[in-house]
Amino acid sequence: MSAAAADRRPARWRPYAAAFVSRFLQMLQYRTAALAGFATQCWWGGIKVMVLAAFYAGASGSTGGAAAMPLVQAITYTWIAQGLLALLPWGGDPEVAQAVRTGAVAYDRLRPVDAYGFWFARTAGWIAARALPRLALMLGFAAIVLPLAGHADWGWQPPAGPRAAVFFAASLLLAVLLSAALVMLINVAATAALDARGINAFAVPAVVVLSGNLLPLSLMPDAWQAALLAQPLAGLMDIPVRLYFGRLAGWDAAGGLALQAFWVLALVALGRWALARTLARLDIQGG
């Protein structure tokens, strides 16, 4: 490979990196919205923790819930789920929806970059900027403030160990990419339908249940566990938390990360194919 070709290779990624960074920094400006969302998530997190405590107390005579996940882990799962709430792909990127409504999507077709890659980078920046600060705030509240206030049993517990923490961090990165790939499918559907509202309404219940946000997937029936873990939405929340607790360790941990990576690649391939077909048939009205 010549030196000129080697210099051009990094340059090809610069527009997408710039798109990610610009969207990330843009979303960080909405501090009031982030703090309001964090306060709401703390409130609902507290309610979910109390519901879980009552459920475990009522099921103390049985072994199902405790064997699947102890209460202390279920509580930590809840706080992580609340911190990662903005990671869930229950709606398309609002900038894409607006571009579809106004016809500005035509400009994206004229950019000298790959349309899917450009949208994906901006969507990933949008997701990361909404999820990561709230996760950090939730960690400070549930892991520091609650124990200092005398509620350590209802707080965020540390990971199973350093290796589990590293696996969790790697899984979070894959979860951001997976969320962006899923949001891109919603973006493509909104582009094809010229309206994102119906697609968003359909996505919400599936995402909330199958990601583990409503209830840890480990607490669902044993007969469903294999199917629940294999489906793509488990990689958004349930697999990262299993790695955090060390419930997936060794080769099982590698398998969990590989499953997330597989769904990222599969959904990106599906999204690229669907977007190419959609843009080929898209008519822009006006003039």
Side-chain angles (χ1 to χ4, degrees), residues 79 139-158:
W79 292 123
L139 176 63
F141 169 75
I144 299 175
V145 174
L146 284 181
L148 290 176
H151 300 290
D153 292 341
W154 285 23
W156 183 325
Q157 304 300 319

Side-chain angles (χ1 to χ4, degrees), residues 3-171:
D7 290 339
R8 286 196 298 269
R9 177 171 292 183
R12 278 194 284 176
W13 296 100
R14 288 175 187 167
Y16 309 105
F20 175 89
V21 172
S22 64
R23 189 70 186 282
F24 185 88
L25 295 177
Q26 177 191 11
M27 293 305 301
L28 288 183
Q29 298 177 9
Y30 300 101
R31 298 182 182 89
T32 302
L35 291 174
F38 163 69
T40 303
Q41 287 160 221
C42 286
W43 174 263
W44 284 108
I47 292 175
K48 291 173 71 174
V49 166
M50 288 187 284
V51 170
L52 279 172
F55 167 76
Y56 273 79
S60 58
S62 63
T63 60
M69 178 179 288
L71 176 59
V72 65
Q73 290 188 359
I75 290 174
T76 300
Y77 188 114
T78 298
W79 292 123
I80 296 176
Q82 290 302 107
L84 294 177
L85 192 64
L87 190 66
L88 298 185
W90 47 31
D93 188 334
E95 279 198 357
V96 174
Q98 182 179 8
V100 170
R101 288 194 303 269
T102 61
V105 67
Y107 296 115
D108 290 332
R109 299 185 63 183
L110 299 176
R111 297 180 191 273
V113 294
D114 176 68
Y116 183 91
F118 184 78
W119 281 10
F120 186 94
R122 289 188 60 80
T123 297
W126 173 65
I127 292 169
R130 293 167 62 239
L132 298 183
R134 297 187 189 188
L135 180 63
L137 289 172
M138 190 63 67
L139 176 63
F141 169 75
I144 299 175
V145 174
L146 284 181
L148 290 176
H151 300 290
D153 292 341
W154 285 23
W156 183 325
Q157 304 300 319
R163 183 174 296 181
V166 171
F167 284 148
F168 176 69
S171 184

Side-chain angles (χ1 to χ4, degrees), residues 258-272:
L259 184 60
Q260 286 181 286
F262 164 77
W263 280 118
V264 171
L265 295 175
L267 294 175
V268 165
L270 177 61
R272 293 184 68 88

Side-chain angles (χ1 to χ4, degrees), residues 69 73-74 76-81 84 159-160 164 168 171-172 211-212 216 218 234-248 260:
M69 178 179 288
Q73 290 188 359
T76 300
Y77 188 114
T78 298
W79 292 123
I80 296 176
L84 294 177
F168 176 69
S171 184
L172 276 187
S211 67
S218 298
L236 297 172
M237 191 168 295
D238 196 76
I239 290 178
V241 178
R242 290 181 193 233
L243 292 168
Y244 183 89
F245 292 140
R247 300 176 72 87
L248 292 177
Q260 286 181 286

